[in-house]
Amino acid sequence: MEKIYQMEYRGLNLFDEISTVEIAIDEEKQTIHIFDVGQVVSPIFNFDVSAYELSDGFYKMADVLRHKKILTNHQADNNVTLSEWLIMNNAYFYIPQKRIKKYMQGSIIEIVDRAKEPWLFDDYVQRV
C-alpha cells in the first residue's frame, strides 16, 4: 500500500515574510511534492549558468526532513550527508502559473508538457 504523508513547512519567502509550503511525501517513490505559492523553497534561476538551481530555502527544508528521518527507510545508512540524501530522492515543485519543476539526480527541469506525466495530476495535485 502506498503511503503519502502530508505536512506543512514554514520559512521566509523572497520578501522576508513568513510563508507556508504544503508538502506531500511519497515514501515508496522516494519523492517530495511541494506546493509553494509563496516561493519559499522553489528553485531559482541562475543567469550565470542559464539553469535552475535549488534555493537556500529548499536546502534548509530538506535538512529538516533528513534529520527527521523522512525518506530514509530504503537507505542502508541513515547517516547520509544532505547532498547524498538529495541525490537519492526526487522533488516536484508546483509553482504559481501552473508551472512544475522536477528535481532528479542533481538537476532541475521544467515539465512543459503535462501529458508526459499525467499521473502527477491525478495522484498529487488533487491532494496538495
Side-chain angles (χ1 to χ4, degrees):
M1 182 176 172
E2 191 173 335
K3 290 185 180 178
I4 297 176
Y5 303 102
Q6 296 179 4
M7 62 178 54
E8 290 183 351
Y9 173 79
R10 292 176 193 250
L12 294 177
N13 63 16
L14 296 174
F15 305 108
D16 287 335
E17 302 168 338
I18 296 176
S19 191
T20 302
V21 176
E22 296 178 44
I23 305 169
I25 299 170
D26 186 339
E27 287 273 340
E28 185 177 317
K29 294 180 181 174
Q30 294 291 110
T31 304
I32 306 168
H33 296 271
I34 303 165
F35 185 68
D36 188 7
V37 175
Q39 296 184 337
V40 175
V41 298
S42 298
I44 55 174
F45 191 78
N46 184 338
F47 289 98
D48 292 336
V49 294
S50 297
Y52 285 98
E53 59 185 30
L54 296 174
S55 66
D56 290 338
F58 179 79
Y59 284 115
K60 290 176 185 175
M61 182 195 74
D63 200 37
V64 168
L65 295 176
R66 180 178 63 97
H67 280 98
K68 290 186 177 279
K69 305 293 185 197
I70 294 175
L71 294 176
T72 56
N73 293 347
H74 302 294
Q75 298 168 10
D77 181 13
N78 285 340
N79 295 321
V80 297
T81 65
L82 180 58
S83 297
E84 293 169 334
W85 187 87
L86 288 171
I87 289 172
M88 289 185 239
N89 297 295
N90 304 318
Y92 286 88
F93 299 88
Y94 303 90
I95 305 170
Q97 292 96 30
K98 299 181 181 178
R99 299 173 71 188
I100 299 176
K101 293 187 177 43
K102 176 181 178 179
Y103 172 80
M104 184 175 198
Q105 298 176 342
S107 62
I108 300 171
I109 60 168
E110 185 165 359
I111 298 174
V112 179
D113 186 3
R114 294 183 189 187
K116 289 184 180 177
E117 299 194 41
W119 63 273
L120 288 176
F121 299 92
D122 296 334
D123 291 348
Y124 300 104
V125 175
Q126 297 298 327
R127 295 179 191 193
V128 179

